[in-house]
Amino acid sequence: MQGWLQALYEYQGMIQTLTCIDLANASMYDGATATSEAVRMALSLTGRDTVYLSRGLHPRYREVVTTLLTPTSA
Amino acid sequence: MSAQAHAKGALAVQAVTDPTSLGFLKPPGELGVDILAAEGQSLGNPLAFGGPHLGILACRAEFVRHMPGRLVGLGKTTKDARGTC
């Protein structure tokens, strides 16, 4: 258990070093869902409801972000 | 681009599809990126027929309570030994 957790801790540290960003977590499902989680975080933090997606964003990532962040009827 | 976002009070999110590119590109933290998402498959994971690989999520320290997923930290046990949890 400790060995596995230590491996995750070191992975987090390596991502922090590679990207020069303060904090990395112990991973998400994949890059596209991580992108939609990041956008959701930004929406929650700013309290806004508008997102600008760059034209340089991978088209499949754009589809996943749109799918996950479009509210279903409720 | 992150400067433009910050000027409007917005956050800059970057998505990286191949993090091996970070070996020669400027690190996102130095570009003013607030939240980073990336696909970790190219760091050495098998292709797995297009299945899920490794989602990387990183953010500024002040956003720690808004970050989903698990965060592993380092601490000390009652016997002063190092432990992760």
Side-chain angles (χ1 to χ4, degrees):
Chain A
M1 187 66 179
Q2 279 294 304
W4 183 62
L5 286 172
Q6 182 169 341
L8 285 176
Y9 179 76
E10 291 180 11
Y11 157 77
Q12 285 177 189
M14 284 189 242
I15 295 297
Q16 283 156 206
T17 307
L18 178 68
T19 61
C20 294
I21 292 184
D22 303 329
L23 203 66
N25 77 353
S27 91
M28 306 300 294
Y29 182 77
D30 68 2
T33 50
T35 305
S36 53
E37 283 291 346
V39 171
R40 187 206 50 79
M41 268 176 79
L43 287 168
S44 167
L45 283 162
T46 56
R48 296 181 184 189
D49 57 6
T50 308
V51 172
Y52 285 94
L53 296 177
S54 160
R55 250 188 294 229
L57 181 65
H58 193 288
R60 298 294 166 256
Y61 280 38
R62 176 183 292 269
E63 285 175 24
V64 171
V65 170
T66 312
T67 302
L68 288 175
L69 292 180
T70 303
T72 54
S73 60
Chain B
M1 203 180 294
S2 46
Q4 285 176 310
H6 295 148
K8 302 275 185 189
L11 293 174
V13 176
Q14 183 179 6
V16 176
T17 49
D18 189 348
T20 54
S21 64
L22 297 177
F24 59 87
L25 292 176
K26 222 172 185 183
E30 288 180 20
L31 295 172
V33 169
D34 300 297
I35 308 171
L36 175 86
E39 176 57 68
Q41 185 273 320
S42 60
L43 295 175
N45 294 338
L47 290 172
F49 298 100
H53 302 116
L54 175 65
I56 296 171
L57 192 63
C59 70
R60 295 216 312 252
E62 65 201 83
F63 304 148
V64 62
R65 294 294 169 199
H66 291 258
M67 190 179 231
R70 185 176 198 173
L71 272 163
V72 179
L74 199 64
K76 273 193 176 170
T77 66
T78 52
K79 298 190 170 94
D80 263 345
R82 208 180 71 151
T84 43
C85 53

